[in-house]
Amino acid sequence: MSDCIFCKIVRGEAPSWKILENEFVYAFLDINPVSQYHTLVIPKKHFENIFDIDDKYIMEISKVLRHLSQVYQQRLGINNLQIVNSNGSEGQQDVFHLHFHIVPRSLGDGQNIQWRTHPEWRTQFDQWLEELEL
Ligand code: 5GP
Ligand code: ZN
């Protein structure tokens, strides 16, 4: 993907603050951090999102997500973090090269992910499972 910003970062054609790199995965600081050490973890091969990523790459990304979380805990004392991934424009994905955010969290950091819940939908659960047919 010649004009994908994250592919350019992987190829070294756009600047980045690299945290870690291996054969499959590249991790770097988000340019607009919402907390200290806000990190993006991406496959080095272009996949748009969770819908087209292959087994090998998603597995390698998972390993790096855990590894970096543990490194941040051990080296930086970060004991709270969120791993966030968005897919599709209506899923609030802005850059269409799959990425996971590692967002360290702490008391009073001013951030707050809040979901509007619908407990009244519990009555539909049986029907949802039937429709899914898994
Ligand atoms: P999304 O909304 O797709 O989950 O997140 C895209 C993220 O990519 C945003 O947090 C944004 O700050 C980050 N981003 C966009 N362009 C660049 C860039 O050129 N360099 C870096 N390091 N991060 C970027
Ligand atoms: Zn790309």
Side-chain angles (χ1 to χ4, degrees):
M1 288 293 278
S2 55
D3 55 356
C4 166
I5 180 62
F6 287 177
C7 283
K8 282 184 181 164
I9 285 173
V10 169
R11 291 195 299 263
E13 294 166 14
S16 71
W17 287 263
K18 181 167 83 177
I19 298 279
L20 167 158
E21 177 179 12
N22 65 29
E23 189 184 347
F24 300 98
V25 180
Y26 195 92
F28 56 109
L29 294 176
D30 194 296
I31 197 87
N32 291 310
V34 302
S35 67
Q36 291 190 6
Y37 291 93
H38 178 176
T39 301
L40 298 175
V41 179
I42 67 171
K44 285 170 88 168
K45 184 176 164 187
H46 184 91
F47 296 97
E48 195 167 305
N49 53 35
I50 199 73
F51 298 116
D52 64 338
I53 184 104
D54 70 22
D55 282 357
K56 179 67 182 164
Y57 276 89
I58 194 70
M59 198 179 72
E60 294 298 327
I61 288 169
S62 301
K63 288 200 272 187
V64 168
L65 288 170
R66 182 182 61 177
H67 174 66
L68 275 185
S69 298
Q70 291 173 341
V71 167
Y72 288 0
Q73 183 180 51
Q74 284 154 17
R75 301 249 176 95
L76 306 170
I78 289 170
N79 289 308
N80 303 273
L81 58 80
Q82 288 173 304
I83 294 176
V84 179
N85 161 245
S86 301
N87 301 281
S89 53
E90 292 174 28
Q92 295 190 284
Q93 182 177 8
D94 295 305
V95 175
F96 287 85
H97 178 132
L98 180 121
H99 53 280
F100 285 81
H101 299 254
I102 299 178
V103 182
R105 296 296 309 270
S106 59
L107 205 61
D109 63 12
Q111 303 296 346
N112 186 10
I113 295 186
Q114 263 195 326
W115 294 98
R116 185 175 306 149
T117 63
H118 291 277
E120 72 277 15
W121 290 350
R122 285 174 200 158
T123 56
Q124 302 178 24
F125 286 178
D126 288 338
Q127 191 190 328
W128 293 356
L129 297 190
E130 256 176 52
E131 278 168 14
L132 193 57
E133 284 180 346
L134 271 183

